[in-house]
Amino acid sequence: MASISTNPVLSTRALGRATLARQLLLEPAAMSAKGAVTHLLGLQAQNTKPPYYALAARLAGFRPEQLSALMESREVARIVTLRSTIHTHTAEDVLTLRPLVQAARARELKIFRAGLVGVDLDRLVVLSRALVEEEPRTPKEIREALLVHWPDADPQSLSVAARCLLPLVQVTPRGLWRRSGQVRLTTAQAWLRTSYDAETEPDVDPVVLRYLAAFGPASVKDMQTWCGLTRLREAFERLRPRLLAFRDESGVELFDLPEAPRPDPDTPAPPRFLPEYDNVLLSHADRSRFASAEAKNRTWKGNQAFSVFLLDGLLAGLWRLEETKERTTMTIQPFGRTTKAQRAELAEEAERMLRVMGEEGVPFEVGFGVVDE
């Protein structure tokens, strides 16, 4: 095995182009919505609209109704998985990825242990499962039902315990395009009408390969950042004979699939408008392939994350929508100076996205503004 110091170096720009290619962001992909959700190992879905905008940025011919139809047919579902956040996954990946991160979700309860004194967690699981499988319940309904059994417990901690210990999916109409509804939960088993063995030891190796296909080239720490797990070095070492090894400009070892695309660093990267929390910006320990530290720190304010855009493959500003019955207005807010040509490219891509995502018959306009400091 060659030492890390002899591995070929991939520049930051080369890494960015490679990951953009895997993320379907260099050119719109001729892929189905379900195929894209599978390839990307899910879409961040803390809010209901981001999965739709994530696919609009990536797919040729995408319409929001395509993802809604998958949700209604239960081919995809919303569930807490990676990094303890809600993701939209295919039904198959609900059954693959939730068991993989289950131990991490259970460990979250340490934060809430003060509110769970005296609570029998095994009994809580049994009661919660029966409750939500009888019919989908809101978090409030789950709390109130569990408080009957443990009146001295913290209500919020009880519902968090149910969410951590059971694979609870958000049922439709929550998450449907322009319909949605309040959060109601049931188990993955009940909603997907399938078995789910949380006791089976999940096989992490296929997930490592899929992560590299969607986010590589990447380090062990990068994947750990993506999924919120630790101690993945052993899996990468098992797979090393099947992988290529590189290093970044700081000397960190990176792994990749031999057949994965690694475009020329000067490959054009058209503007792309991404929703808040898009996984492309959250799935590496070192995010410099897409964002400077200064730019990254401008995408949040308090607990609020903003929608962002990429320009020449780099995080370059924010965007926001104002929607009324009469008009949709999109405001593009660059972080710095942009050329006339760049503004024309941004406006063209914005108009393409609005034609895909806009309400039929409602006119739209695109304008430029400045970032609110």
Side-chain angles (χ1 to χ4, degrees), residues 41-46 71 76-99 101-102 105 163-164 166-171 174 183-189 191-192 196:
L41 289 102
L43 305 168
Q44 260 276 7
Q46 286 294 90
M71 296 187 71
V76 305
R78 295 166 54 85
I79 185 171
V80 173
T81 52
L82 310 170
R83 306 183 301 276
S84 192
T85 57
I86 300 166
H87 278 69
T88 294
H89 291 294
T90 64
E92 295 82 359
D93 276 348
V94 168
L95 305 178
T96 298
L97 296 176
R98 176 61 193 235
V101 301
Q102 181 55 51
R105 300 292 70 78
R163 186 202 72 179
C164 288
L166 285 171
L168 298 180
V169 300
Q170 296 184 359
V171 307
R174 180 69 175 176
V183 174
R184 289 188 175 276
L185 302 165
T186 191
T187 61
Q189 297 95 317
W191 187 246
L192 301 178
Y196 178 101

Side-chain angles (χ1 to χ4, degrees), residues 327-330 350-352 354-355 358 362-366:
R327 180 172 298 276
T328 296
T329 302
M330 179 172 174
E351 290 170 4
R352 183 198 69 80
L354 290 173
R355 283 193 293 271
V362 177
F364 61 81
E365 61 185 11
V366 175

Side-chain angles (χ1 to χ4, degrees), residues 7 31 34 56 116 145 184 188 239 250 273 295 340 365 367-368:
N7 292 342
M31 186 182 290
K34 185 176 181 180
L116 294 170
R184 289 188 175 276
L239 293 167
S250 299
F273 292 93
K340 183 177 180 180
E365 61 185 11
F368 286 83

Side-chain angles (χ1 to χ4, degrees), residues 46-126:
Q46 286 294 90
N47 298 322
T48 57
K49 290 184 178 179
Y52 294 92
Y53 282 97
L55 293 181
R58 291 168 164 89
L59 300 183
F62 174 72
R63 295 295 307 172
E65 294 77 15
Q66 295 167 355
L67 182 57
S68 265
L70 291 171
M71 296 187 71
E72 288 188 289
S73 63
R74 308 190 189 190
E75 294 176 72
V76 305
R78 295 166 54 85
I79 185 171
V80 173
T81 52
L82 310 170
R83 306 183 301 276
S84 192
T85 57
I86 300 166
H87 278 69
T88 294
H89 291 294
T90 64
E92 295 82 359
D93 276 348
V94 168
L95 305 178
T96 298
L97 296 176
R98 176 61 193 235
L100 183 70
V101 301
Q102 181 55 51
R105 300 292 70 78
R107 283 195 297 272
E108 287 179 54
L109 291 185
K110 293 180 181 178
I111 302 172
F112 300 91
R113 60 182 179 273
L116 294 170
V117 173
V119 175
D120 181 338
L121 293 179
D122 290 336
R123 185 175 176 226
L124 179 145
V125 167
V126 172

Side-chain angles (χ1 to χ4, degrees), residues 34 37 72 94 110 148 180 223 228 266 268 275 319 326:
K34 185 176 181 180
V37 176
E72 288 188 289
V94 168
K110 293 180 181 178
V148 172
S180 201
M223 182 173 175
D266 292 326
W319 62 275
E326 292 75 29

Side-chain angles (χ1 to χ4, degrees), residues 124 127-128 131-132 137-160 162 182 184-185:
L124 179 145
L127 291 171
S128 299
L131 183 71
V132 299
R137 309 282 184 169
T138 67
K140 181 175 183 290
E141 290 170 340
I142 295 171
R143 288 194 298 270
E144 291 175 346
L146 294 176
L147 274 173
V148 172
H149 301 274
W150 296 285
D152 296 328
D154 172 60
Q156 182 72 14
S157 297
L158 289 172
S159 60
V160 168
Q182 68 181 136
R184 289 188 175 276
L185 302 165

